[in-house]
Amino acid sequence: MKKSPLSPSQLYKSCNLGQLNFTSTEELEDLELLVGQERAMEAIKFGIRIRKSGYNIFAMAPDGTGKLTTVKQLAEHEASRQPVPFDWCYVHNFSQPAKPTAIHLEPGQGRGFQRDMAELIDELSVAIPAAFDGDEYRSRAGELESESRQREATEINRLREEAEQARIIFTETATGYAFLPADENNEPLTPEQFNKLDKEQQHKFHETVLDLQERVQAAIKKFPVWRKETKRKLQALNREVAELAVNHSIDELKEKYAKWQPVLNYLNAVQKDIIEHVRDFIPHSEKVLSFMELPQDPNPFKRYQVNLMVDRSQKRSAPVVCEDLPNYGNLLGRIDHQAHMGSLVTDFTMIKPGAFHKANGGYLIIDARKVLMQPYAWETLKRTLQSGEIRIESLERALSLISTSSLEPEPIPLEIKVILLGDPLIYYLLSFYDPEFQDFFKIAADFAESVDRKNNSMEYARLLATIARREKLKPLSQQAVARVIEHSARMSGDAEKLLTHLRSIKDLLTESDYWATENSHTHIAQSDVQQAIDQKIHRLDKVRERLYQTIQRGTIMIATDGKVIGQINGLSVLQLGEFAFGQPSRITATTRMGNGKVVDIERETELGGAIHSKGVLILSSFIASRYARSTPFSLSASLVFEQSYGHVEGDSASLAELCAILSSLAQIPLRQDLAMTGSVNQLGLVQPIGGVNEKIEGFFDVCSAKGLTGTQGVIIPASNVPYLMLRWDVVHAAESGQFHIYAVSTVDQALELLSDCEVGEADQQGQYPPATFNGKIDAQLRQFTSLKLAFGGKESDADKGN
């Protein structure tokens, strides 16, 4: 019985306006999360709340589906229930300056601690110079120096008196001390006078001078010891004065941070260092003591600063951080350098935080593709999660490319939940190629690319209202929402589904808003949405237009009327960026006596893919199993896509190819006003294919350009009927009887439509009625078998004769 075409209601599933209880989207509330993503949201909530190592999350969805917004909302909702984590800062390590110390404080205390240390140094910068500039200090320091000088002078004077008694003049010179003999009047003797003295007197003078020189040398050796002793006394005095100036201010801070032992340890080290380097607090212009006149660091107080790495003073919950550029430095942090006298120098104040620092105690959201594209970022991410601490070091040092001295900041403990966003393909590739991946990302949140259309129209309308408000677009009318829902089903490729790709929806609403403005509409109307759809197609359909022109001019041969043996119109889809369209292709088949092989010319020329070749092999299996179960399969057939100059892939043309072969076998012509798509299995059942809407519309456009005859149409698999969301002009043509869409479930149904001939069923003996399509195929194959046997016998007789 011949199949009837599908009714117009089966070609397009309109939106039920009765389900949209509003006039415009102004009346609708915002929708916080995506429609129909319960599975993914449950997985994310589970991954966020479980506090075990390795239970990080990989959110799987193509770009533009809104997964970032959803993940961020869920993470922020969970973060709002958690306490604010610690502030973190780096301070100078006075015992090991190359290894700065990490200190954590209560949220918001880091800024206060930084300010307290700055105020402490400012206060001491005034208090210490004032203490050393006081009268009491000057008096005590002067007494110590005077006592030291007096002690040296007393020793020298005693030696001078003894020299005078021995008639020796004791004088100081530029190079030391000198001794000269003197007369009774204590006047120095000239060399002539000294030579006139007798030998005994000269010898006595020599002995006395040598004795005095030895005693002077002994006294001079005591002076450094006495000066060191004086210096120690001065240092003790300085320490005493410094402690009086410092201790009061430091003690106040110690009392304030009494509960934080790391801060107390640091303050004790600061106190000790300030007292030891008290000269740094004395301005250059005030040279109080000689030992304070040593060269000073241009910024001696820098080591007392606090490098606040993480400030939570403005936070009210755990952090949620989205890192847009997850490279090595942005994840771990970095140590900056500055040029100084031709070299690069650094210190603990130049340590900069990374995303791990900012998100520590909360959630870090990263795009998987971006982190995989950054050198060493992926390995750094895994190593940091495994160690549970943030260790800042330069990439060159981590790779052992340099061995120069640098800072080694103390690692900071890490408690974080990482959420990766990426395409499902990335997840599966990482799972396959990285053996460590499942150790760190145990939770997969799989976002659906579409949701059920049934009972979700109002939720989808709320989604449209939310997007319109966030993007500051005009509200949508009820009819506009219905049109968007219908187009969403079309974009999803399934009349019973709605697309969840938010970027595509937002683009459609943005363009509709533009046309609403151009058309002076206060609300986005249905016509504005349709105009946006049409204009986008117009921008992208140059290739389609030129291809259809070549078909119309006969350059590419596609027949839309008449009947031809072994020839059929197949349908394929071309995807060019965001735009896809159907392309009719002529498929031809030839048959002859042979050894049961079906030659796929596309495969033989390496233009056919593996799936297409599989489909062709299935055809030969079907023909042999149906028509040659008890006889040799004596058929050779050739298949080709005419005027195909590119790669052919997929099995959606296998039904058309089978019909072309059977037509050639039975020598029954096939209708050229029908095109066909669908795959077939070994049992002759027709299977669904993709791109059904574009394929139908492609053949319709070709027929329209050549002129609709009222008999033209497309044959599709019956299982594809629920996916139909055809253009309105196609639906109207079907409604007026100008174009027809047939749905088939078996090869026999397709043959009957194409040939207008009864297909025929086998009787109990496996015989088909002779006048039917199958009967003629069976008869032709039997003839091939007889001819093959006859040729085989003649060849044997010829061999015997020889």
Side-chain angles (χ1 to χ4, degrees):
M1 180 176 171
K2 192 173 180 179
K3 295 282 293 184
S4 300
L6 298 176
S7 65
S9 62
Q10 294 176 284
L11 307 181
Y12 190 89
K13 186 176 181 180
S14 301
C15 180
N16 185 1
L17 294 178
Q19 296 178 353
L20 305 179
N21 301 318
F22 58 88
T23 303
S24 75
T25 54
E26 289 177 303
E27 306 169 17
L28 302 179
E29 298 178 352
D30 283 351
L31 185 70
E32 294 299 327
L33 299 173
L34 289 180
V35 178
Q37 299 292 357
E38 290 78 11
R39 184 199 307 272
M41 290 190 286
E42 287 174 4
I44 293 172
K45 290 177 182 177
F46 173 73
I48 286 175
R49 292 173 181 174
I50 186 171
R51 295 296 171 184
K52 295 295 181 181
S53 176
Y55 281 86
N56 297 296
I57 303 167
F58 194 108
M60 294 188 292
D63 289 339
T65 54
K67 59 183 180 295
L68 173 59
T69 303
T70 302
V71 167
K72 191 174 180 182
Q73 286 179 357
L74 290 173
E76 288 175 346
H77 180 267
E78 185 64 24
S80 65
R81 302 164 53 187
Q82 299 175 11
V84 183
F86 294 125
D87 286 355
W88 283 93
C89 55
Y90 273 112
V91 294
H92 184 66
N93 187 337
F94 296 98
S95 59
Q96 294 179 292
K99 297 183 177 180
T101 304
I103 294 179
H104 69 276
L105 298 118
E106 288 287 353
Q109 284 192 348
R111 180 70 63 186
F113 179 52
Q114 185 184 50
R115 184 172 54 252
D116 289 342
M117 287 303 300
E119 292 176 354
L120 172 67
I121 300 306
D122 289 342
E123 182 179 337
L124 295 180
S125 299
V126 176
I128 291 177
F132 282 94
D133 198 35
D135 293 339
E136 181 181 354
Y137 172 77
R138 289 180 179 274
S139 175
R140 293 177 62 183
E143 289 177 1
L144 291 175
E145 288 193 328
S146 177
E147 181 182 344
S148 176
R149 290 192 295 269
Q150 184 62 37
R151 189 176 184 183
E152 293 179 10
T154 299
E155 185 68 18
I156 296 298
N157 290 336
R158 184 175 62 80
L159 292 174
R160 183 176 282 111
E161 290 174 359
E162 292 182 4
E164 289 179 357
Q165 293 176 1
R167 291 171 58 192
I168 300 294
I169 297 176
F170 182 21
T171 62
E172 296 183 20
T173 66
T175 58
Y177 295 97
F179 298 91
L180 299 173
D183 57 13
E184 293 82 356
N185 299 323
N186 205 26
E187 294 292 334
L189 296 175
T190 63
E192 292 80 6
Q193 292 174 330
F194 183 78
N195 291 331
K196 291 179 180 180
L197 298 176
D198 57 33
K199 298 296 183 182
E200 183 178 354
Q201 286 180 319
Q202 290 180 0
H203 181 71
K204 186 178 179 181
F205 272 121
H206 279 297
E207 290 292 331
T208 303
V209 169
L210 288 174
D211 181 59
L212 288 172
Q213 285 178 339
E214 289 178 357
R215 293 172 64 185
V216 167
Q217 291 296 328
I220 290 174
K221 289 181 179 179
K222 295 179 183 178
F223 291 172
V225 177
W226 293 346
R227 290 170 183 171
K228 287 182 180 178
E229 184 179 341
T230 301
K231 186 175 181 179
R232 282 194 293 271
K233 291 180 180 178
L234 284 170
Q235 288 176 338
L237 174 62
N238 292 336
R239 180 178 294 275
E240 179 184 347
V241 174
E243 287 178 350
L244 289 174
V246 171
N247 287 357
H248 174 69
S249 300
I250 292 284
D251 288 344
E252 288 182 353
L253 287 183
K254 288 181 179 179
E255 183 178 351
K256 181 177 180 179
Y257 297 98
K259 295 181 180 180
W260 294 94
Q261 190 60 43
V263 178
L264 293 180
N265 295 339
Y266 172 69
L267 291 175
N268 289 330
V270 169
Q271 183 178 12
K272 181 180 178 182
D273 187 78
I274 290 176
I275 293 172
E276 290 177 353
H277 299 84
V278 69
R279 67 177 183 274
D280 291 340
F281 290 81
I282 307 300
H284 288 273
S285 59
E286 299 183 15
K287 300 180 180 180
V288 179
L289 294 176
S290 59
F291 73 87
M292 290 185 181
E293 297 176 3
L294 299 174
Q296 292 182 316
D297 190 309
N299 188 5
F301 305 144
K302 195 172 186 179
R303 62 181 180 272
Y304 305 120
Q305 294 179 7
V306 174
N307 182 4
L308 184 58
M309 296 285 287
V310 181
D311 179 17
R312 311 284 191 198
S313 57
Q314 303 299 321
K315 299 292 184 181
R316 297 294 178 266
S317 62
V320 177
V321 176
C322 298
E323 179 53 54
D324 186 57
L325 182 60
N327 58 29
Y328 182 89
N330 288 350
L331 287 176
L332 280 186
R334 66 185 187 277
I335 303 174
D336 288 344
H337 294 74
Q338 65 180 9
H340 179 69
M341 299 182 66
S343 61
L344 295 176
V345 296
T346 187
D347 56 59
F348 76 97
T349 63
M350 297 185 189
I351 303 174
K352 304 300 181 183
F356 279 123
H357 297 91
K358 300 172 185 176
N360 197 5
Y363 305 91
L364 176 60
I365 303 173
I366 306 174
D367 187 284
R369 184 181 62 85
K370 291 180 180 178
V371 74
L372 289 169
M373 290 178 65
Q374 297 297 327
Y376 302 101
W378 176 247
E379 292 300 323
T380 298
L381 174 64
K382 293 191 298 180
R383 187 177 68 247
T384 304
L385 291 175
Q386 184 176 30
S387 64
E389 61 182 20
I390 313 170
R391 185 180 296 274
I392 304 176
E393 59 181 345
S394 67
L395 182 57
E396 297 84 356
R397 186 180 182 86
L399 298 176
S400 300
L401 298 178
I402 60 172
S403 58
T404 56
S405 176
S406 182
L407 295 182
E408 297 180 26
E410 180 184 359
I412 292 177
L414 178 66
E415 183 180 352
I416 199 171
K417 186 75 70 173
V418 177
I419 306 175
L420 287 183
L421 310 176
D423 193 273
L425 178 61
I426 296 177
Y427 175 84
Y428 297 126
L429 288 175
L430 286 173
S431 299
F432 184 80
Y433 287 107
D434 190 342
E436 298 177 332
F437 177 68
Q438 292 295 340
D439 294 335
F440 299 108
F441 294 91
K442 297 181 181 294
I443 304 298
D446 197 353
F447 282 76
E449 297 182 18
S450 60
V451 297
D452 289 335
R453 183 173 172 181
K454 187 178 181 180
N455 301 325
N456 274 326
S457 296
M458 276 302 297
E459 290 296 303
Y460 207 79
R462 288 181 58 200
L463 175 64
L464 300 180
T466 303
I467 295 174
R469 271 192 285 268
R470 289 181 180 177
E471 299 298 321
K472 298 181 179 178
L473 307 177
K474 290 181 173 63
L476 286 79
S477 68
Q478 182 191 50
Q479 291 78 12
V481 170
R483 184 67 189 97
V484 173
I485 289 176
E486 293 166 358
H487 188 65
S488 175
R490 160 74 181 225
M491 289 190 291
S492 72
D494 189 339
E496 298 177 356
K497 299 287 185 180
L498 293 175
L499 189 70
T500 58
H501 195 265
L502 294 186
R503 185 170 61 198
S504 300
I505 300 169
K506 186 184 75 172
D507 291 347
L508 176 59
L509 296 188
T510 301
E511 295 172 24
S512 301
D513 177 79
Y514 169 81
W515 292 114
T517 302
E518 288 291 303
N519 297 327
S520 302
H521 294 162
T522 56
H523 291 67
I524 297 175
Q526 180 184 23
S527 59
D528 300 322
V529 176
Q530 187 60 47
Q531 190 171 4
I533 296 170
D534 295 339
Q535 287 295 322
K536 184 172 184 178
I537 293 174
H538 178 69
R539 293 194 299 269
L540 299 173
D541 74 341
K542 183 184 74 173
V543 175
R544 181 184 68 170
E545 182 179 324
R546 291 188 177 181
L547 178 62
Y548 289 175
Q549 284 178 355
T550 59
I551 295 174
Q552 185 178 0
R553 297 171 65 180
T555 307
I556 296 178
M557 294 183 289
I558 299 292
T560 58
D561 56 11
K563 291 185 177 182
V564 181
I565 295 174
Q567 176 176 302
I568 195 170
N569 292 320
L571 297 171
S572 59
V573 173
L574 290 182
Q575 181 77 44
L576 299 175
E578 297 181 78
F579 183 57
F581 61 93
Q583 177 189 5
S585 300
R586 175 175 290 181
I587 300 172
T588 60
T590 59
T591 55
R592 57 204 172 276
M593 183 181 67
N595 55 3
K597 182 179 180 181
V598 176
V599 177
D600 178 12
I601 295 178
E602 305 296 336
R603 184 186 64 181
E604 298 297 325
T605 57
E606 298 185 355
L607 290 176
I611 298 176
H612 179 262
S613 298
K614 173 188 174 184
V616 173
L617 292 175
I618 289 175
L619 304 185
S620 60
S621 299
F622 168 77
I623 297 172
S625 65
R626 170 176 279 197
Y627 302 108
R629 298 186 63 184
S630 58
T631 58
F633 188 38
S634 307
L635 167 71
S636 286
S638 297
L639 277 171
V640 69
F641 277 76
E642 302 290 354
Q643 295 182 289
S644 170
Y645 307 104
H647 198 73
V648 176
E649 181 58 304
D651 63 349
S652 64
S654 59
L655 177 61
E657 291 170 332
L658 177 58
C659 291
I661 293 175
L662 297 180
S663 168
S664 177
L665 268 175
Q667 290 295 293
I668 295 177
L670 302 180
R671 292 173 56 182
Q672 302 301 296
D673 55 359
L674 293 179
M676 176 182 291
T677 183
S679 69
V680 67
N681 62 18
Q682 293 188 110
L683 303 177
L685 300 178
V686 179
Q687 302 170 139
I689 44 82
V692 64
N693 293 303
E694 289 80 5
K695 291 177 178 180
I696 294 172
E697 291 165 357
F699 191 65
F700 172 80
D701 290 338
V702 170
C703 293
S704 296
K706 291 190 172 185
L708 293 175
T709 62
T711 62
Q712 296 149 334
V714 175
I715 299 173
I716 65 170
S719 50
N720 274 118
V721 173
Y723 297 83
L724 293 178
M725 285 293 291
L726 295 172
R727 290 194 323 241
W728 288 348
D729 56 343
V730 181
V731 177
H732 293 158
E735 190 173 11
S736 61
Q738 295 296 306
F739 197 77
H740 312 281
I741 292 92
Y742 301 94
V744 297
S745 302
T746 64
V747 176
D748 291 341
Q749 293 175 354
L751 289 173
E752 187 173 321
L753 283 169
L754 288 166
S755 64
D756 295 324
C757 176
E758 184 181 351
V759 176
E761 296 183 3
D763 56 19
Q764 294 181 352
Q765 288 76 33
Q767 300 296 318
Y768 293 96
T772 63
F773 206 120
N774 284 328
K776 293 183 178 181
I777 294 172
D778 186 56
Q780 183 65 68
L781 287 174
R782 290 181 183 276
Q783 184 181 3
F784 284 159
T785 301
S786 299
L787 291 173
K788 186 172 183 181
L789 291 174
F791 279 114
K794 291 180 181 179
E795 290 176 359
S796 298
D797 293 340
D799 291 338
K800 290 178 182 180
N802 293 332

